[in-house]
Amino acid sequence: MSIATYIVLALAFGISAMILMRRCAAATPVKLSKGLVIMLLTSIVHAILFVLGITLGDLLRIEGKDAPQLYARTNAYIFLGLTLFVVVRMLLPYLKREPNLAIFDLRNWSTTAAMAIASGINVLLVGLGLGFVMPLAGHVHSAIWPLFAFTLLLGYMGIMFGRQKVEMRPRRWIIVACVLMLGCGIAAVVNS
């Protein structure tokens, strides 16, 4: 697996952040300067949770004593399973005819911090699975910067879209994000 995996996962999580921020900013509009600070906070929290997940997965990875790659396929299946769990968790609310999705008040800092942590749970779980497949050593910058950049830029774009009440098709965007994540999980199994 290469840096492309980190970039594709970062793009998927950025799309997810864009949909969430568009929905929240449409309900509770904020100034663009405050929106930028909100996205900086959210991006930092997501990057920390992603690195924490990869570190935990690296510690829990199954390895043979004499042959470290003996259980590579098993570790890849664990990554695929966690990714599939996150995909189903993200996709299920959007499959309902009238989805009841969470809306956070962006004007309140405590709910904004709670939103950053709550939306980062999926990032943590995928990072946990990714840690089973590839160690964090030597890949710290590859893990942090794409996720930080895509979450910041796409989430901020979501805030701008929400303030202007721009129509989006959230179901299609979430399906794209889920396909990107699932593609990374399948690629890990194929490459193991």
Side-chain angles (χ1 to χ4, degrees), residues 89-100:
R89 189 171 171 230
M90 285 174 61
L91 199 56
L92 273 181
Y94 289 95
L95 295 180
K96 297 177 184 174
R97 188 172 298 275
E98 293 294 325
N100 187 12

Side-chain angles (χ1 to χ4, degrees), residues 123-171:
V123 178
L124 176 72
L125 290 173
V126 172
L128 180 67
L130 191 60
F132 278 91
V133 177
M134 67 173 53
L136 187 62
H139 300 283
V140 176
H141 292 291
S142 301
I144 292 174
W145 296 116
L147 181 68
F148 179 81
F150 277 118
T151 305
L152 177 67
L153 294 175
L154 291 176
Y156 191 60
M157 195 164 52
I159 289 176
M160 289 190 283
F161 287 162
R163 282 172 42 100
Q164 298 295 322
K165 306 275 196 277
V166 173
E167 282 299 319
M168 294 180 71
R169 299 186 187 273
R171 186 175 295 148

Side-chain angles (χ1 to χ4, degrees), residues 30-43 109 148 152-153 155-157 159-160:
V30 292
K31 292 182 180 178
L32 288 178
S33 58
K34 185 174 182 179
L36 183 61
V37 173
I38 288 169
M39 283 318 303
L40 277 171
L41 170 74
T42 305
S43 300
W109 285 109
F148 179 81
L152 177 67
L153 294 175
Y156 191 60
M157 195 164 52
I159 289 176
M160 289 190 283

Side-chain angles (χ1 to χ4, degrees), residues 13 16 49-50 82 85-87 89-90 117-128 181:
F13 288 124
S16 177
L49 288 174
F50 193 56
L82 283 169
F85 174 75
V86 170
V87 164
R89 189 171 171 230
M90 285 174 61
I117 294 169
S119 63
I121 297 299
N122 290 339
V123 178
L124 176 72
L125 290 173
V126 172
L128 180 67
M181 279 193 275

Side-chain angles (χ1 to χ4, degrees), residues 8-9 11-17 19 83 87 90-91 170-183:
V8 171
L9 287 174
L11 180 61
F13 288 124
I15 290 171
S16 177
I19 296 301
T83 304
V87 164
M90 285 174 61
L91 199 56
R171 186 175 295 148
R172 289 184 185 173
W173 282 104
I174 286 296
I175 289 172
V176 168
C178 290
V179 166
L180 289 173
M181 279 193 275
L182 203 55

